[in-house]
Amino acid sequence: MFEVYLTGFSVSAGLILAIGAQNAFVLRQGLRGEHVALVCVACAASDALLILVGVTSFRSLVVLAPWLRPAMLYAGAAFLIWYGARSLRSAFAATEALRPAPGCAAGLGRTLATCLALTWLNPHVYLDTLLLIGSISTRFPGQEPAFAAGAMTASVAFFFSLGYGAAILRPLFAKPVAWRVLEGVIALTMWLIAAELLLSGQ
């Protein structure tokens, strides 16, 4: 059971490491020190809900449409390969560092609205949680709750580490080379997950 929990944790952590609009927003809020706790809670709670739906409903969808699992498995692998290639390209092309935007602090309502929009209007979030995590969870019949708990734990740990760790990372990410290294790690992570998906489909 604990092994399944760790698998869920590692799968979710690998997927969520990819720097996208949502993660960049959380990091920016952490760098500016604005509404960090609520932003992290909003992101983690949204992820938890989507993971729960994916783990509990994906098997039912597969029963109704047997072609869905292999179709999404290969589509997900293709997306991850493409995303990894994009990250690797960014690793070589990046010349700018992420800097907090100047100006007055945004209100709480506006901040949360932006955070939720970046989460729920992002199709990649659904691919990661509903489809990829939901698909992988079917490999552990009867142990889906442990897998989901691990995936949710990774999400909570990541968002709060990102939000509150931003102050520590600020000097590091003022340098473009730090983003190059991170993008390279992301590319490798995405390709490893894609390979796992393709091997599981054989």
Side-chain angles (χ1 to χ4, degrees), residues 18-126:
I19 292 296
Q22 182 193 46
N23 293 351
F25 179 77
V26 175
L27 182 58
R28 185 177 295 109
Q29 291 301 118
L31 288 171
R32 299 182 67 171
E34 296 175 9
H35 315 300
V36 180
L38 288 178
V39 166
C40 293
V41 168
C43 291
S46 297
D47 256 18
L49 178 58
L50 289 168
I51 288 169
L52 181 62
V53 173
V55 171
T56 58
S57 303
F58 191 83
R59 187 179 295 275
S60 300
L61 292 174
V62 170
V63 171
L64 294 175
W67 53 266
L68 181 61
R69 186 179 187 278
M72 294 314 308
L73 186 149
Y74 290 114
F79 167 76
L80 292 173
I81 292 171
W82 170 82
Y83 201 102
R86 192 183 75 166
S87 294
L88 188 63
R89 179 181 178 183
S90 297
F92 287 102
T95 58
E96 298 180 357
L98 178 65
R99 302 181 185 277
C104 300
L108 176 59
R110 180 179 177 182
T111 299
L112 285 179
T114 301
C115 178
L116 293 175
L118 289 172
T119 300
W120 291 92
L121 299 181
N122 181 3
H124 296 166
V125 171
Y126 297 97

